[in-house]
Amino acid sequence: MRRSRRPRVAEAVAAVLLLALSTACGSRLPESDFESRSSAPETRGGAPIRVGIITSATSPVGGNAFTGPRDGAKAYFDRLNARGGIDGRPVEVRLCDDGGSGVGNNTCVHKLIDEDKIVALVATTALDYAGASRVARARVPDIGGQPIGAAYDTYPHLYGIYGSLAPRGGTTGWGGKQYGGTEVYRYFKREHGARTAAVVSYNQAASAAYASLVERGLKAEGYQVVTEQVDFALPNFRAVAADLKEQGADLVFDAIDSHGNARLCEAMDDVGAEVTAKVTNVQNWTSTVPEDYQDAPRCRNALWATGSSRNYEDTGHAAVREFRDATKGLKTHSQWQLEGWAAARWFTDAAKSCARAETGITRACVDGFMNRGEGYTAGGLLVPVAFERLPEPPKHRRSCLSVARWQDGRGWVSQGDMNSTCFDVPQLSYQP
C-alpha cells in the first residue's frame, strides 16, 4: 500500500473500530421531516419481495473488510428462496456498493429506494452512511445494520443489529452524546482477575479518541491503565511490546487496524510479553486468524473476542448449525457473516408476519414489527435486541456478552453462554 494513502486508511479503520464513535452521517432534521412520506411500496400476490443491501465493498479499508454482513444476509435469502421464499414469493436482493464514500452512499440510497422500490434495507455496512436521513424520511426500515457511525442512534426507522435506547428523533443519542457500558472490562476483572490493562493506539485523532474511551471504561472498573501510542507511518511496535512486558499488563486493548494488531502480536512474541488476553472486536472475529497472525503463535493463542452474537463456531446450537451449513461454500467464516444472516432472518420474520396481515408486506408493516419493543434473538443468534426511546440516558444497564477465545486446532472457543454472562454496569457518555 502506498504511504500517501495510509492516513486515509487509518481514519477508515478507526471508524470501524469506533463503531458508533465515528462522525455522525447525514443532516439533523426536525421530527416533522420524518412524518411526511408514505409507506409504499406494497408487495402482494406472487411478486418478488425486493430488499436492498448497501455495502462499502470497495472502501478505502480494502476488499473484504465490510463484506461479511452482506455475504451472510445473501446466504440466508438464497436458502430461503430455495425453500419457497415468503408465502410463496421469492426475496429479490438488490446489492449496492457505495465505495465507502458519502456520495456513493447517497447514490445507493437513491437507487434502491426511488428506482428499485425496495421494501427494506438489510445488513447495511457503510463506512459513511450519508444517506441515513434520506432513508428515514422515506420511512424505509433498515434492519440489522452495523453501527459503524452514529446513524442507528440518530434516526427513526433505522434498526442496528445491537438495538438502541436513544430517542432517534434526528439528533444523535441524547443531546448529541452516546453511551456505552463497561461490561467487557468487568468480565475480565471478574472471570480472570485482571488488574492491569494496556491500551494501544495510533497518533491519529479517531484512534486516540477511541483509546481514550477504553481508558475511561477501564478506570471506571478499577484497572491500572497503561497507555501506548505509536506513530501510524512508522510504528515501533517492538518498543510498545517491551513496555507491556515491563509493566506486567494482564490485558491488551487496541485502537489499531488488523495489520497493526498482527505486527504488535509479532513484537510481543519476540520480546516474550505474555498476557492473559489480547482483546479484539467483533470485526476481527474471523477464521483467518492463523494466516493473519502466522508469525505470532503465543499471542495468537491469547486472542479473545467479545460481542453480542453467538459464536459462529458454536455448531452445537441449531441456528448456528444452519448458518454454517448454508455458508459452507465460503472460503472463510466470520462473526459479521453470522450477524448479516441474523439481519436477513429478522427481516424475514417481519415480512412473514405482514404476509398474514391485511396490509400485506409494506414498509409500514415491517417497521411496525421492528418497533414491537420485544427482545429479538434471531432464533438464539443474538443477545435479545430491543429498541426503546428513553427520554433520558440510562445510568446503569444490565448487559450480556458473547465471549470467545482463539485456540489453535479448535478455532474460536466459546467462554460460557452469552445469555448468562451478564453484568449491571455504568453507562459512560462520549461524543461521536
Side-chain angles (χ1 to χ4, degrees), residues 53-59 61-75 95-97 123-126 146 148 283 330 332 334-338 340-341:
I53 301 177
I54 299 176
T55 309
S56 297
T58 54
S59 75
V61 178
N64 301 322
F66 288 89
T67 55
R70 178 201 69 187
D71 295 344
K74 187 67 166 54
L95 304 177
C96 194
D97 174 12
T124 300
T125 312
Q146 289 292 337
I148 295 170
Q283 193 200 8
L330 297 178
T332 62
S334 73
Q335 203 64 15
W336 264 16
Q337 289 173 356
L338 179 138
W341 172 280

Side-chain angles (χ1 to χ4, degrees), residues 32-118:
S32 59
D33 284 354
F34 297 117
E35 305 299 334
S36 59
R37 300 298 179 99
S38 72
S39 58
E42 178 180 320
T43 307
R44 288 188 176 277
I49 303 162
R50 192 170 294 168
V51 300
I53 301 177
I54 299 176
T55 309
S56 297
T58 54
S59 75
V61 178
N64 301 322
F66 288 89
T67 55
R70 178 201 69 187
D71 295 344
K74 187 67 166 54
Y76 184 90
F77 288 131
D78 286 345
R79 170 162 285 203
L80 178 70
N81 288 338
R83 294 176 174 179
I86 298 172
D87 199 28
R89 288 169 283 178
V91 174
E92 182 181 320
V93 179
R94 295 294 178 95
L95 304 177
C96 194
D97 174 12
D98 68 9
S101 74
V103 172
N105 187 264
N106 270 312
T107 299
C108 280
V109 168
H110 167 67
K111 180 182 184 301
L112 294 173
I113 292 177
D114 301 324
E115 296 178 9
D116 293 345
K117 307 295 184 183
I118 59 167

Side-chain angles (χ1 to χ4, degrees), residues 6 8 11 39 68 75 77 145 202 204 280 330:
R6 293 188 72 175
R8 187 182 179 195
E11 291 175 4
S39 58
F77 288 131
Y202 288 126
Q204 185 267 342
T280 190
L330 297 178

Side-chain angles (χ1 to χ4, degrees), residues 19 106 155 168 207 246 322 329 337 352 371-372 395:
L19 296 180
N106 270 312
Y155 300 107
R168 294 184 299 130
S207 177
E246 183 177 344
E322 183 181 15
Q337 289 173 356
K352 284 180 177 178
N371 272 314
R372 294 176 305 161
K395 294 181 178 179

